[in-house]
Amino acid sequence: MFTMRSFGFLGTASALAALTCGLAAPGAHAQALDADTAKALDAAIAGTHRSAENRARDRWRHPKETLAFFGFRSDMTVVEMLPGGGWYTEILAPALKENGKLYAAHYDMNAGSYERRSLGGFLKKIGEAPEVYGNLVVTTLDLPNRLEVAPPGSADLVVTFRNVHNWFEGGEDDLRLGFQAMYDALKPGGILGVTDHRWPDPATEDPSTGYISEAHTIEVAEGVGFEFVARSDINRNPQDTHDHPEGVWTLPPTLRLGDKDREKYLAIGESDRFTLKFRKPEARAAD
């Protein structure tokens, strides 16, 4: 089922060293939320604009803890990459509405039928709740054609939730360009936060499963210039064995097998996910 892939030696060594050296307990390196940010996040997470279905996923996605780990503040300029149906947008948009700014880099409307449906659903969602999303700026990410997801060097924080595995499935060029787009949007010193489905062994990862390894992700991020900062186990799920017949989509919320072994997969829960933090290096003074 799984295929072998080869890493460049230096990239692999760097990534694996990052995973095994100097990495403290789950949540280490997280910044304490300031009072205004904590209040804004709590209000957004508890907001009545969120459906019961989306609220039920908080136990797996840990939005407050994840954003705290990334160093989120309610006065930041933030870019959310390919927000899909807007699960995280429901939290980010109201939390940033008063003092910050949010860009949502969604699909190109002409990219394909799936992309049109996803973008259309997102635009309908934000259009029907201007009191929540009125200040949101929608931009476009279309690999490899449109990469400017925000004004260059404008963002304090870029976040991507469960998108990297899709870029991996598109090939190494798409994977690199996705990270390049995020790098270009950030200010020097800005932070990139990445969460995705974790494949445990970079030597056997297979894009068709929907998983990707931490080592591969770190290698690509460092390859475009990011500095690896820290990892967290906030979104780890040790019940996920990673070997499901329909890949990660076997698990909730997709449950691609339907009623077959449904209770088994509901008991496992949502996928095992890594949570990684990177920094765009500070600009260096000319010699």
Side-chain angles (χ1 to χ4, degrees):
M1 178 179 179
F2 307 115
T3 60
M4 298 292 289
R5 70 177 302 277
S6 60
F7 287 87
F9 175 76
L10 292 178
T12 305
S14 174
L16 292 175
L19 290 171
T20 56
C21 299
L23 298 175
H29 307 282
Q31 298 179 19
L33 295 171
D34 64 81
D36 288 343
T37 297
K39 182 178 178 180
L41 279 178
D42 286 341
I45 292 168
T48 57
H49 64 288
R50 301 185 68 215
S51 67
E53 181 182 21
N54 281 356
R55 288 168 179 265
R57 299 187 68 193
D58 290 354
R59 63 177 291 215
W60 302 110
R61 305 195 75 175
H62 311 102
K64 185 175 182 180
E65 296 85 353
T66 299
L67 291 171
F69 175 71
F70 293 152
F72 174 83
R73 296 193 318 273
S74 58
D75 62 352
M76 282 179 159
T77 294
V78 179
V79 179
E80 182 184 4
M81 303 293 285
L82 296 177
W87 192 95
Y88 253 102
T89 316
E90 292 180 354
I91 296 168
L92 291 168
L96 291 164
K97 185 176 180 182
E98 295 300 323
N99 299 305
K101 189 176 187 68
L102 177 61
Y103 292 91
H106 217 297
Y107 290 121
D108 186 332
M109 67 177 295
N110 295 311
S113 59
Y114 169 82
E115 290 81 4
R116 282 185 173 182
R117 289 195 302 272
S118 180
L119 174 61
F122 182 78
L123 293 177
K124 184 175 186 291
K125 178 194 193 83
I126 66 174
E128 291 178 346
E131 71 283 2
V132 178
Y133 306 107
N135 295 338
L136 173 66
V137 178
V138 180
T139 61
T140 299
L141 177 69
D142 180 28
L143 303 175
N145 303 306
R146 299 179 65 181
L147 304 178
E148 188 172 304
V149 297
S154 65
D156 301 293
L157 173 67
V158 175
V159 291
T160 179
F161 303 103
R162 301 184 307 142
N163 290 309
V164 173
H165 70 278
N166 290 319
W167 300 339
F168 177 31
E169 189 169 11
E172 291 297 315
D173 285 346
D174 276 5
L175 188 53
R176 179 183 58 81
L177 287 172
F179 276 88
Q180 187 66 57
M182 297 188 288
Y183 187 92
D184 292 344
L186 282 165
K187 300 174 180 177
I191 295 296
L192 167 64
V194 181
T195 296
D196 218 310
H197 310 295
R198 183 199 337 261
W199 184 254
D201 181 2
T204 59
E205 64 182 353
D206 178 349
S208 71
T209 67
Y211 292 92
I212 186 171
S213 69
E214 291 178 73
H216 189 185
T217 303
I218 293 170
E219 178 191 38
V220 176
E222 290 182 334
V224 303
F226 281 108
E227 299 171 343
F228 178 72
V229 176
R231 62 180 286 276
S232 171
D233 283 338
I234 295 167
N235 296 300
R236 179 181 288 277
N237 179 1
Q239 303 305 312
D240 181 4
T241 57
H242 311 91
D243 59 352
H244 316 297
E246 293 292 332
V248 73
W249 302 282
T250 310
L251 299 175
T254 306
L255 293 169
R256 187 170 285 178
L257 295 180
D259 290 335
K260 182 180 179 181
D261 294 327
R262 182 183 182 89
E263 295 306 315
K264 169 186 173 180
Y265 294 118
L266 285 173
I268 292 172
E270 295 196 19
S271 68
D272 178 32
R273 294 166 190 166
F274 60 72
T275 305
L276 304 176
K277 183 176 181 179
F278 301 90
R279 179 184 294 111
K280 181 175 180 175
E282 297 280 359
R284 296 177 180 175
D287 294 336

